[in-house]
């Protein structure tokens, strides 16, 4: 289905951050795709960083990497998973990128001597970037989510650009969707709409009228409350959408469909509305609500206080649970709590152990102990990025007899650098955007666990790292039983390692979690969870009743 001209939906938020604008945008994209429309999405982050690559996970959660090697906000992961699309650098806009481009143009003299200002030069740059994505994708509908909240000073240029944009492309070609919080206050948790009214008033003062309001709430709104929001916010009552908390993340599109959000958007845009094909999404939700059993995975990391730091990994485990028709219970185990004498306390109830990516030496000794525990106790193990590097170090120390095996990232003075900087990284001084980033090919060894899991011998996976397995040690490790089952096409870079004779012991230098989808679980996560199911079945029913101690002591 195609529409001319292209249509745009701008998504803003009020009151507080983390209202779920990304999930709402991704869900709307899924509902429009279900009606046959092509959709793409842009995330605007008003921070001055050029991209998310140099920020701590505690700031904005994980860094999501696209095929073209862009380090982006985690919301692009939601877009890709819900809408089943592949996004790129231009789908992520930051104030750093915008200012950098404007300043470069000024230095070249592109503005022909003009005094360069926020309006029109910065706002024109913002609009041009939105148009660039629209032209490149030729999508019927372009979703544009503005991070932060209305009233944030750093977001004002974007809101002004949106105001101008609508006038330039035609009011019938744009919709402004605004998310607000409807909190429950007092002992009875009485819902209050005043915050929504003030948020819309703030938006209106900027010159933007909300066409659709998504009221985020934990309880249903009464008809009277809908009418009140409609009256005070000048929005049609049918366009007041209740965004009530859902029991599952992937239930949100179906909940919003029942609320009529896609119907409202299509009517406002003048697009044909058809019966959506949501059979696949309904099947996903049925499996989530009716699993055949549960399995327990211990995710051992150092950012366990913030689930968003591992959001793609957690979602990939959920996808694999859907594929195996089981519920995956994930325990976030802080790696700094694990020591040789207490590893059993934290890990004995796990049906699988996963060590994700990360940087720096904090918590790595606990991760190494978790890997050793998995290897020695026959617990299915999956390592990702740093998880591979630590698996190699653990194997070298405790199997190959290289007691001082280490990584130059963790110990620059090590005499046994099993993990070292990649050759092309040794002269790099800038931190941002300089790692090995994006999709690269990987050749698998036939007959290995990796090849059996994928069902093919060449794959493309997304990377984000500077360090690699030191080739000088490959022969020694191979002699002691480690298999390098995935290599770069030239054979110089180790991409996958595994340990034969173990129920499931595999680690990747890349990040398979970035390509997993709820309707298409990643093959390695699928195989890992399947191995965990086998272990759970052999251990009986304890996985559904045990609660692990996971907090840092």
């Amino acid at each position: 289905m195609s529409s001319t001209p292209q249509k745009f939906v701008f998504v803003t938020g009020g009151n507080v951050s983390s209202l779920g604008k990304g999930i709402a945008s991704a869900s709307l994209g899924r509902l429009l795709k279900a009606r046959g429309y092509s959709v793409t999405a842009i995330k605007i982050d008003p921070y001055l960083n050029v991209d998310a690559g140099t920020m701590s996970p505690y700031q904005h959660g994980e860094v999501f990497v696209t095929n073209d090697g862009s380090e982006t906000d985690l919301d692009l992961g939601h877009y890709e998973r819900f809408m089943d699309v592949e996004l790129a650098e231009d789908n992520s806009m930051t104030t750093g990128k915008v200012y950098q481009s404007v300043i470069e143009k000024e230095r070249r003299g592109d503005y022909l001597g003009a005094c360069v200002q926020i309006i029109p030069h910065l706002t024109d740059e913002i609009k041009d970037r939105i148009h660039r994505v629209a032209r490149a994708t030729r999508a019927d509908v372009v979703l544009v989510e503005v991070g932060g909240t209305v009233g944030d000073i750093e977001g004002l240029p974007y809101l002004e650009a949106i105001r101008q944009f609508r006038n330039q492309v035609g009011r019938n070609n744009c919709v402004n969707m605004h998310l607000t919080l409807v909190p429950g206050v007092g002992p009875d948790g009485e819902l209050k709409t005043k915050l929504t009214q003030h948020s819309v008033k703030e938006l209106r003062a900027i010159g933007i009228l909300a066409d659709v309001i998504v009221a985020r709430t934990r309880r249903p709104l009464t008809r009277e409350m809908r009418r009140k929001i409609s009256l005070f916010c000048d929005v049609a009552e049918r366009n007041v959408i209740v965004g009530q908390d859902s029991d599952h993340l992937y239930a949100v599109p179906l909940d919003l469909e029942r609320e009529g959000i896609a119907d409202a958007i299509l009517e406002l845009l003048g697009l044909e509305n058809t019966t959506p094909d949501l059979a696949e999404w309904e099947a996903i939700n049925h499996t989530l609500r009716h699993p055949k059993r549960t399995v327990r995975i211990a995710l051992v990391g150092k950012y366990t206080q913030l689930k968003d730091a591992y959001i793609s990994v957690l979602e990939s485990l959920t996808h694999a649970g859907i594929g195996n028709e089981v519920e995956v219970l994930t325990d976030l185990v802080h790696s700094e709590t694990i020591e040789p004498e207490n590893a059993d306390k934290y890990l004995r109830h796990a049906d699988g152990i996963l060590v994700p990516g990360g940087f720096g030496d904090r918590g790595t000794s606990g991760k190494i102990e978790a890997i050793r525990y998995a290897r020695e106790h026959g617990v299915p193990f999956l390592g990702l990025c740093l998880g591979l590097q630590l698996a190699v170090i653990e194997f070298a120390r405790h199997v190959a007899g290289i007691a001082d095996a280490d990584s130059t990232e963790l110990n620059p003075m090590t005499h046994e650098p099993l993990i070292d900087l990649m050759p092309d990284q040794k002269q790099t001084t800038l931190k941002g955007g300089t790692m090995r980033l994006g999709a690269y090919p990987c050749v698998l060894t036939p007959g290995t666990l990796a090849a059996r899991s994928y069902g093919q011998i060449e794959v493309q996976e997304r990377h984000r790292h500077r360090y690699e397995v030191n080739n000088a040690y490959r022969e020694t490790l191979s002699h002691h039983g480690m298999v390098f089952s995935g290599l770069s096409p030239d054979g110089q870079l180790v991409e996958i390692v595994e340990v034969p004779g173990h129920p499931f012991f595999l680690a990747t230098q890349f990040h398979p979690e970035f390509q997993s989808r709820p309707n298409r679980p990643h093959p390695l996560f699928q195989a890992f969870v399947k191995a965990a199911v086998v272990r759970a079945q052999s251990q009986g029913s304890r996985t559904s009743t045990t609660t692990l101690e996971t907090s840092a002591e």
Side-chain angles (χ1 to χ4, degrees):
M1 190 180 297
S2 63
S3 62
T4 303
Q6 289 175 295
K7 307 292 184 175
F8 300 85
V9 178
F10 294 98
V11 183
T12 56
N15 314 135
V16 295
S17 58
S18 300
L19 277 178
K21 295 189 300 295
I23 298 298
S25 301
S27 297
L28 176 59
R30 164 51 57 184
L31 296 177
L32 295 176
K33 281 198 70 175
R35 287 166 166 82
Y37 290 100
S38 60
V39 186
T40 191
I42 300 170
K43 173 64 188 296
I44 293 175
D45 282 297
Y47 48 66
L48 280 169
N49 304 65
V50 173
D51 55 42
T54 59
M55 286 192 287
S56 163
Y58 289 125
Q59 292 291 313
H60 278 267
E62 75 168 12
V63 175
F64 185 82
V65 179
T66 57
N67 271 347
D68 67 352
S70 299
E71 296 173 289
T72 73
D73 182 78
L74 62 82
D75 277 325
L76 269 77
H78 291 314
Y79 302 158
E80 287 205 357
R81 287 188 287 270
F82 277 66
M83 296 159 54
D84 201 6
V85 296
E86 288 187 358
L87 304 178
E89 180 180 7
D90 283 346
N91 295 92
S92 174
M93 190 189 315
T94 67
T95 299
K97 285 182 181 179
V98 172
Y99 271 103
Q100 187 177 62
S101 178
V102 169
I103 290 171
E104 287 173 353
K105 289 178 180 178
E106 185 272 332
R107 293 289 82 187
R108 291 196 305 264
D110 292 2
Y111 296 118
L112 303 177
C115 176
V116 181
Q117 298 176 290
I118 301 298
I119 302 171
H121 302 98
L122 198 73
T123 51
D124 282 351
E125 179 70 24
I126 294 166
K127 291 180 291 182
D128 287 345
R129 286 174 173 266
I130 295 172
H131 281 300
R132 186 191 306 170
V133 172
R135 288 193 302 268
T137 61
R138 298 184 179 180
D140 297 320
V141 182
V142 180
L143 304 174
V144 183
E145 177 195 347
V146 182
T149 63
V150 172
D152 294 345
I153 190 168
E154 61 264 33
L156 291 177
Y158 296 102
L159 297 177
E160 170 61 20
I162 289 171
R163 185 194 67 77
Q164 296 175 17
F165 194 96
R166 187 171 194 175
N167 287 331
Q168 291 171 2
V169 304
R171 291 184 173 270
N172 293 333
N173 296 321
C174 292
V175 166
N176 294 320
M177 186 170 88
H178 191 57
L179 274 73
T180 66
L181 177 67
V182 179
V185 298
D188 297 326
E190 182 182 1
L191 296 179
K192 295 291 186 179
T193 66
K194 193 63 72 175
L195 283 177
T196 296
Q197 296 174 40
H198 282 294
S199 178
V200 172
K201 180 181 178 181
E202 183 80 17
L203 193 65
R204 191 181 300 164
I206 298 168
I208 298 175
L209 303 179
D211 301 301
V212 174
I213 291 176
V214 179
R216 289 286 288 111
T217 175
R218 291 186 175 180
R219 290 164 40 204
L221 295 186
T222 64
R223 182 69 180 275
E224 180 57 34
M225 296 186 77
R226 285 182 188 253
R227 287 174 176 168
K228 190 174 183 179
I229 292 173
S230 170
L231 175 64
F232 283 95
C233 298
D234 195 25
V235 174
E237 186 178 335
R238 63 182 178 278
N239 294 343
V240 177
I241 306 297
V242 178
Q244 189 175 345
D245 291 353
S246 298
D247 58 344
H248 285 290
L249 184 66
Y250 297 113
V252 176
L254 299 180
D255 291 345
L256 291 179
E257 173 65 21
R258 285 189 288 272
E259 279 290 309
I261 190 170
D263 299 336
I265 296 292
L266 291 170
E267 181 180 352
L268 288 164
L269 291 174
L271 293 175
E272 179 186 358
N273 196 353
T274 60
T275 302
D277 181 3
L278 292 168
E280 184 178 57
W281 213 257
E282 290 167 347
I284 288 169
N285 277 269
H286 178 81
T287 302
L288 284 170
R289 291 192 173 99
H290 303 92
K292 292 182 177 179
R293 64 169 298 119
T294 61
V295 296
R296 188 176 291 280
I297 302 297
L299 188 155
V300 182
K302 66 177 180 179
Y303 303 116
T304 52
Q305 299 95 322
L306 182 68
K307 285 187 176 182
D308 279 356
Y310 301 115
I311 188 67
S312 287
V313 175
L314 294 171
E315 289 310 303
S316 296
L317 290 170
T318 297
H319 304 163
I322 295 168
N324 284 285
E325 300 184 276
V326 299
E327 180 185 12
V328 178
L329 305 175
T330 304
D331 293 299
L332 300 178
V333 182
H334 200 291
S335 58
E336 289 186 286
T337 65
I338 300 179
E339 298 175 357
E341 59 271 18
N342 69 5
D344 185 69
K345 168 187 174 182
Y346 291 103
L347 302 173
R348 67 176 178 268
H349 301 298
D351 300 310
I353 296 172
L354 189 153
V355 174
F359 298 91
D361 64 345
R362 183 172 68 87
T364 53
S365 61
K367 294 178 183 180
I368 289 173
E369 288 303 324
I371 294 167
R372 183 179 186 180
Y373 185 93
R375 183 179 56 78
E376 293 182 346
H377 290 78
V379 182
F381 166 75
L382 179 62
L384 309 175
C385 198
L386 179 62
L388 174 141
Q389 297 169 9
L390 298 180
V392 169
I393 292 170
E394 189 283 323
F395 188 89
R397 289 178 182 177
H398 303 120
V399 178
I402 309 174
D404 295 329
D406 218 323
S407 164
T408 54
E409 178 188 11
L410 312 179
N411 178 13
M413 305 306 293
T414 179
H415 297 295
E416 300 285 3
L418 270 287
I419 307 298
D420 200 5
L421 265 178
M422 300 171 65
D424 60 358
Q425 290 286 321
K426 292 189 176 180
Q427 303 304 316
T428 299
T429 56
L430 295 178
K431 296 296 184 184
T434 57
M435 287 186 277
R436 188 181 187 222
L437 294 165
Y440 288 89
C442 172
V443 179
L444 310 178
T445 303
T448 58
L449 174 59
R452 294 195 305 272
S453 299
Y454 275 105
Q456 58 193 83
I457 60 171
E458 184 165 341
V459 296
Q460 289 266 347
E461 293 286 0
R462 301 181 192 180
H463 293 250
R464 185 175 183 251
H465 61 104
R466 298 184 193 279
Y467 292 81
E468 258 283 357
V469 174
N470 188 338
N471 288 330
Y473 291 89
R474 276 168 60 175
E475 184 177 351
T476 300
L477 295 171
S478 295
H479 176 74
H480 285 86
M482 177 164 276
V483 173
F484 302 98
S485 56
L487 302 174
S488 59
D490 62 5
Q492 294 303 301
L493 300 176
V494 172
E495 309 283 37
I496 306 176
V497 303
E498 54 188 74
V499 176
H502 189 281
F504 188 101
F505 192 102
L506 183 146
T508 70
Q509 185 57 74
F510 49 79
H511 290 269
E513 66 269 25
F514 293 145
Q515 296 198 84
S516 187
R517 304 284 187 268
N519 57 329
R520 287 184 290 105
H522 191 282
L524 296 183
F525 279 90
Q526 178 86 341
F528 171 60
V529 169
K530 183 177 181 180
V533 171
V534 172
R535 179 175 176 82
Q537 291 171 336
S538 70
Q539 298 294 315
S541 61
R542 55 134 176 93
T543 56
S544 62
T545 59
T546 305
T547 300
L548 292 185
E549 300 175 66
T550 61
S551 61
E553 296 177 334

